[in-house]
Structure formats: C-alpha cells, structure tokens
Amino acid sequence: MRGRKPKPTQIKLVTGNPGHRPTPPDEPKPEARIPKCPVHLDAEAKREWRRMAKELDELGILTTIDRAVFASYCQAWSMWKRVTF
C-alpha cells in the first residue's frame, strides 16, 4: 500500500508543509498566470472566471494547464446559480 497521494509543491507552499519533507527538484513548474477565458462560457461563468482568477493568481496556483478544469468549474457554478436562485 502506497499511502496518500503527494500534494503538488505549490499547494504545499500555500497550505504549509507540516512534515518538513523536501520538495521534489524535478517537479514540472508551469507558468503561474491567468489563462485566456474560453469564449463558450456563458455570462455568469465569465463573471466567476474573472472573480476567481484574480484570487487564484494572487496565490500563484492558477496556470495555463488549469484552463479546462477551471472553465468546467465556472460553468458548473453558473448552472448551480441558475437553478438555486
């Protein structure tokens, strides 16, 4: 049995490293920047994109690799808001 999945280094830096284990030197480090907002998102999803992108960018944990997952979150937020409000 292997145990828990290791946290990405950037998440470990933000949340803390209680075990004080060294970070892997060969871990991929994509550029931390806000990816371009997809045009297919609806208006509410684009508002959520702008709101959360600022927050995540300040923490340095949003990268261009996260674009599809972040877009999915924003669209899901829009759908949730539409059905609950």
Side-chain angles (χ1 to χ4, degrees):
M1 224 179 242
R2 183 166 179 233
R4 290 185 183 180
K5 272 186 165 179
K7 283 185 185 177
T9 301
Q10 194 64 29
I11 300 295
K12 211 182 265 192
L13 293 174
V14 172
T15 61
N17 185 4
H20 303 289
R21 292 188 175 90
T23 57
D26 57 345
E27 184 177 62
K29 293 182 176 126
E31 183 183 349
R33 67 181 175 92
I34 299 173
K36 187 177 176 183
C37 183
V39 295
H40 69 273
L41 295 180
D42 64 29
E44 183 60 38
K46 286 179 181 177
R47 275 193 291 279
E48 182 67 2
W49 179 283
R50 288 188 296 273
R51 185 182 77 82
M52 287 301 296
K54 284 183 203 172
E55 301 277 334
L56 295 172
D57 188 46
E58 286 176 14
L59 294 172
I61 58 174
L62 184 62
T63 69
T64 55
I65 292 173
D66 301 318
R67 184 175 186 244
V69 174
F70 189 46
S72 296
Y73 157 74
C74 292
Q75 195 62 51
W77 167 263
S78 175
M79 286 189 287
W80 175 82
K81 192 170 178 187
R82 195 174 329 126
V83 298
T84 58
F85 292 106

